[in-house]
Amino acid sequence: MLRQAEGRHMLPGGAMVPRLFRLADRRQDTADTFTMMLEPTDGVPLEFIPGQFTMMSAFGIGEVPISVSSPAKVEGPLQHTVRDVGSVTHALARTQIGDVVGIRGPYGTGWDVEDGAGADVVLVAGGIGLAPLRPAMLDVLRHRQRYGRVVLLYGTRTPEDLLFTDELKRWENLGVEVLVTVDYGTPSWTGRVGLVTTLIARAGFDPRSALALVCGPEVMMRFTAMALIKRGLSPDRVRVSLERNMRCGVGLCGHCQYRELFVCLDGPVLPYARVAGLIGVREL
Ligand SMILES: Cc1cc2nc3c(=O)[nH]c(=O)nc-3n(C[C@H](O)[C@H](O)[C@H](O)COP(=O)(O)OP(=O)(O)OC[C@H]3O[C@@H](n4cnc5c(N)ncnc54)[C@H](O)[C@@H]3O)c2cc1C
């Protein structure tokens, strides 16, 4: 089992050394979530594929895996959308324009959304899971003619937790079927209330060929994958992005190991068929 990963451990020198990125701009998306726009201090843009993550460091505090939320192969700052949940993300939340953070990577597998060419593409996001899916959506929209119907099913706990609301409207105007739901409505909320899985039966896509990309809390991904399969998708055509505690990001420390899988190397994006028995299982 380990042999499979060993070859990939032969990393080029410097794989653990962060590059320096300066905070060029910052947007507060919700009460606890913000997007950092980062410019490399050496002027060399970070190349990545949609779905990959970097290890972000707040110097003196620690390092955490965060997915890239900006479009790939497009000029502009590197974007990371971060939820302030603990010590490192809180330190990142306190950075000011001009401050420098460390970035290692990019690491991991991507959504490989081009496998959906000629078919319908369904993106299902729960909460901050929309951030890692954003580069995939922007890639689909850049090559719109390659795909059939494009559907986004998005659920958050409350209306205040919805991310990228301006973009949701823009995507809808570009022909994406955008269905949004919240777990708990507010008096001013006129939209749907209920779990994101309730949207699967309503959405217009052909399950015989569709490619589904799912990102959110593990329990949400599990029930979403099961509902998509029930609707007719093949488990091979459902991809999920796993979130596990990580330290090195390069398959050395074993923190993110899930039986034979290293989430940092083999994932985070994996076909549901490969992880069906693992997700939803609590980490020790
Ligand atoms: C591949 C990958 C991609 C990720 N992408 C993103 C991303 O794009 N944006 C983002 O905000 N996060 C992302 N995460 C999660 C992020 O890495 C964690 O939230 C972060 O490591 C927390 O570190 P901390 O030091 O701030 O919190 P800690 O001090 O480690 O944790 C403090 C408390 O928060 C709890 N906690 C930790 N993580 C979470 C969580 N995710 N949700 C709720 N509670 C939590 C802990 O259980 C603990 O009680 C990703 C994780 C992985 C593995």
Side-chain angles (χ1 to χ4, degrees):
M1 267 188 298
L2 279 177
R3 235 185 1 257
Q4 183 196 1
E6 267 163 16
R8 288 170 295 178
H9 291 169
M10 316 256 277
L11 295 161
M16 299 300 286
V17 180
R19 288 177 58 198
L20 303 182
F21 279 68
R22 198 175 300 285
L23 186 68
D25 204 355
R26 184 188 187 286
R27 185 184 65 229
Q28 193 68 37
D29 296 300
T30 68
D32 63 4
T33 302
F34 55 97
T35 298
M36 302 173 80
M37 319 313 178
L38 298 155
E39 300 282 6
T41 57
D42 61 8
V44 181
L46 188 97
E47 286 184 18
F48 63 92
I49 55 170
Q52 285 192 304
F53 67 95
T54 72
M55 294 300 295
M56 290 192 78
S57 39
F59 295 117
I61 311 288
E63 209 181 16
V64 288
I66 301 290
S67 302
V68 181
S69 64
S70 42
K73 298 190 183 78
V74 171
E75 257 183 56
L78 175 72
Q79 294 175 41
H80 279 300
T81 301
V82 185
R83 189 147 73 100
D84 179 356
V85 294
S87 50
V88 178
T89 50
H90 192 55
L92 293 172
R94 287 195 312 258
T95 50
Q96 309 284 320
I97 307 290
D99 285 354
V100 170
V101 297
I103 300 270
R104 285 195 291 123
Y107 298 126
T109 52
W111 293 110
D112 292 342
V113 67
E114 49 288 349
D115 292 346
D120 297 346
V121 180
V122 186
L123 295 90
V124 191
I128 195 163
L130 186 59
L133 282 170
R134 181 175 178 249
M137 174 65 92
L138 295 174
D139 212 58
V140 168
L141 293 175
R142 212 167 47 252
H143 305 287
R144 185 66 192 86
Q145 71 291 351
R146 290 186 192 163
Y147 301 93
R149 282 167 288 191
V150 182
V151 176
L152 171 66
L153 311 179
Y154 180 32
T156 59
R157 281 171 68 76
T158 72
E160 283 78 32
D161 296 315
L162 288 168
L163 288 177
F164 312 143
T165 44
D166 291 349
E167 255 179 306
L168 295 180
K169 288 196 195 89
R170 194 170 67 80
W171 295 345
E172 204 162 17
N173 291 337
L174 290 170
V176 178
E177 182 183 357
V178 177
L179 300 180
V180 174
T181 185
V182 298
D183 297 348
Y184 307 101
T186 50
S188 59
W189 174 250
T190 54
R192 293 179 198 83
V193 176
L195 298 177
V196 72
T197 43
T198 61
L199 302 176
I200 291 168
R202 295 165 193 253
F205 60 88
D206 182 354
R208 290 167 302 177
S209 58
L211 178 72
L213 313 178
V214 185
C215 192
E218 262 185 30
V219 67
M220 167 267 172
M221 292 196 288
R222 183 160 170 215
F223 282 101
T224 299
M226 291 190 314
L228 288 165
I229 292 163
K230 195 169 164 207
R231 188 156 162 198
L233 264 87
S234 153
D236 277 334
R237 298 283 284 170
V238 178
R239 292 180 186 159
V240 295
S241 181
L242 298 185
E243 211 178 273
R244 271 297 189 254
N245 286 337
M246 282 180 193
R247 288 288 173 267
C248 70
V250 291
L252 295 172
C253 74
H255 267 83
C256 68
Q257 191 171 357
Y258 238 149
R259 278 194 224 155
E260 72 278 17
L261 295 177
F262 286 77
V263 172
C264 62
L265 290 176
D266 301 300
V269 179
L270 284 154
Y272 181 70
R274 204 161 161 209
V275 296
L278 297 175
I279 73 169
V281 178
R282 284 181 77 84
E283 231 175 328
L284 295 174

